[in-house]
Amino acid sequence: MADVSGDNAPGGIWDVIVVGAGPAGASAARAAADLGRRVLLLEKAELPRYKTCGGGIIGPSRDALPAGFELPLKDRVTAVTFTYRGRLGRTRRSRQTLFGLVNRAEFDQRLVEAAQKAGAELRTGAAVARVEQHGAAVPDRRSVAVVLADGETLLARAVVGADGSAGRIGKHVGVTLDQVDLGLEAEIPVPEPVAEDWRGRVLIDWGPLPGSYGWVFPKGDTLTVGVISARGDGAATKGYLADFIARLGLAGFEPAVSSGHLTRCRTHNSPLSRGRVLVCGDAAGLLEPWTREGISYALRSGRTAGEWAVRVAEATDAVDARRQALNYAFAIKAGLGVEMAVGRRLLAVFERRPALFHGAVTGFRPAWLAFTRFTRGTTTLATIVRTHPLAHRVLSLAGSSK
């Protein structure tokens, strides 16, 4: 590898600076550090910090974790209760674990620790104001300036943006978004008898708003209860959550945390890089459009971004840097981009025919088996649609229906 390290003392140049210490950023930092580069991981908050998220760890998430990483699981899911607008409930069970459940604060902290163990340096309380690739703050064309809110300027040979869909780095790159959803969630402590009733089982409710659904994820003595739907009618989404909690018989328990967040999916042609700056995870708008599952997308795109950021850092001129950045974009589009395209088709059908999905997964064994294989990570949504003629036909027919 070319020597692009510089000095890590003040005024020196880092190989890679990663902005944002969530799953995408921590994965990027670890991947770059594993390749022997000098890596700085910046996070504006103090860690650990709460994150609105169901915390489901499906197979693709598990497979993208560092070797030897111990998941801080709060529960292992072997059963799923499906309901349609609170009715027509059916519980389906599996002999094997379908997926695991974590608290994001603990999970994210362990990912950061894995990055630090690989050699990355962490700075918390470091809010980024902007990045610059030209101008007085940039000493040469092989450098990127990361300007912090307090005025300090850091230099790197490559930057990875993992600071969320509303962060500074995505704006610098020019990420564009075409799907925005509102997720609302409550962390509800419950007595042991209630917790025991939910242990090992989650609930998924196909909701009353177009494209909406709700969930209950058990985590020891706490239930994570949430709903998600398209942004635009916040009152209706709040009403769905309130009704959902009441139907479950949980309205009498005081939530420890009530929170909300927006999820944002990229347009299919949105850029993933600009010069020596790459984006991944939520900062790139990488999210499964139908389920709005983001952890696996963050882990996978973060790892890929960290690996390609090293190649960008090694590039000796703008042409080579752009070539490596385009290679990163191609890798993302060929993998996660294909998955997102299928997810968009599924969401379009689900918005019009949620009962079709409920009937399939509760009454059609091949659909349930496909669900189990997807959650375990032995297949993907794209593979299911491509290799199962019936799934492909149903999706095509339903998608063309009005």
Side-chain angles (χ1 to χ4, degrees):
M1 290 185 181
D3 182 11
V4 296
S5 61
D7 183 4
N8 286 350
I13 300 179
W14 297 85
D15 292 336
V16 179
I17 290 178
V18 180
V19 182
S27 296
R30 176 188 55 81
D34 275 342
L35 292 172
R37 300 294 83 186
R38 290 178 172 87
V39 180
L40 177 62
L41 177 59
L42 301 176
E43 169 57 45
K44 66 180 180 180
E46 297 298 330
L47 299 177
R49 46 93 175 98
Y50 179 79
K51 173 72 174 180
T52 303
C53 178
I57 305 296
I58 60 176
S61 299
R62 180 199 61 231
D63 296 341
L65 293 169
F69 185 90
E70 185 176 347
L71 275 167
L73 293 179
K74 297 300 181 183
D75 206 341
R76 299 175 185 270
V77 177
T78 57
V80 183
T81 297
F82 296 97
T83 58
Y84 175 59
R85 300 184 180 182
R87 301 176 291 108
L88 306 176
R90 181 177 180 185
T91 299
R92 307 212 66 161
R93 303 184 183 275
S94 171
R95 293 180 180 178
Q96 296 176 287
T97 298
L98 296 172
F99 55 95
L101 299 173
V102 299
N103 286 330
R104 279 291 303 276
E106 186 178 3
F107 177 66
D108 290 11
Q109 180 66 30
R110 291 202 184 182
L111 289 172
V112 169
E113 290 170 356
Q116 290 177 289
K117 185 177 180 180
E121 183 172 323
L122 171 69
R123 283 182 60 178
T124 58
V128 172
R130 64 185 184 278
V131 293
E132 298 180 5
Q133 301 195 62
H134 307 282
V138 184
D140 57 61
R141 294 192 177 187
R142 293 182 59 209
S143 304
V144 181
V146 178
V147 183
L148 304 184
D150 63 6
E152 181 183 1
T153 297
L154 304 168
L155 297 176
R157 298 301 187 197
V159 170
V160 176
D163 53 341
S165 60
R168 304 286 186 181
I169 313 304
K171 290 182 174 63
H172 173 81
V173 168
V175 174
T176 56
L177 307 164
D178 69 351
Q179 178 187 326
V180 183
D181 295 285
L182 172 62
L184 301 176
E185 196 168 73
E187 302 284 352
I188 305 177
V190 294
E192 174 58 26
V194 177
E196 180 61 31
D197 182 57
W198 284 96
R199 196 155 290 138
R201 177 176 66 95
V202 303
L203 183 146
I204 297 176
D205 176 66
W206 313 117
L209 306 173
S212 68
Y213 73 94
W215 62 88
V216 179
F217 286 178
K219 298 172 185 175
D221 60 359
T222 299
L223 300 180
T224 297
V225 184
V227 301
I228 195 164
S229 66
R231 183 181 67 171
D233 194 343
T237 305
K238 290 178 182 178
Y240 176 25
L241 178 61
D243 291 345
F244 187 45
I245 290 174
R247 286 201 308 266
L248 294 167
L250 301 173
F253 302 113
E254 184 70 23
V257 179
S258 294
S259 62
H261 72 294
L262 295 176
T263 64
R264 299 174 172 92
C265 291
R266 66 191 296 272
T267 58
H268 76 280
N269 60 348
S270 181
L272 291 163
S273 67
R274 177 181 174 186
R276 291 177 175 267
V277 179
L278 312 179
V279 286
C280 60
D282 287 346
L286 292 167
L287 192 75
E288 202 291 300
W290 174 37
T291 63
R292 290 79 150 187
E293 189 276 324
I295 294 178
S296 73
Y297 278 65
L299 292 170
R300 289 182 285 175
S301 65
R303 181 176 63 184
T304 303
E307 293 168 350
W308 283 103
V310 169
R311 294 172 172 85
V312 171
E314 294 173 336
T316 57
D317 56 46
V319 173
D320 191 22
R322 177 168 174 74
R323 181 184 304 115
Q324 304 306 330
L326 289 174
N327 285 337
Y328 164 68
F330 177 80
I332 293 297
K333 291 176 182 177
L336 298 180
V338 172
E339 290 295 308
M340 289 187 72
V342 173
R344 287 188 179 94
R345 293 176 60 199
L346 286 167
L347 177 62
V349 177
F350 176 65
E351 287 176 335
R352 292 193 296 271
R353 292 190 159 191
L356 175 68
F357 282 77
H358 181 70
V361 78
T362 59
F364 187 51
R365 181 171 172 77
W368 165 246
L369 293 178
F371 175 89
T372 65
R373 289 194 295 270
F374 168 70
T375 58
R376 292 184 188 126
T378 59
T379 191
T380 66
L381 293 176
T383 300
I384 292 171
V385 172
R386 185 176 65 250
T387 61
H388 292 70
L390 182 58
H392 178 78
R393 180 172 175 78
V394 168
L395 187 61
S396 299
L397 290 175
S400 63
S401 302
K402 300 295 184 182

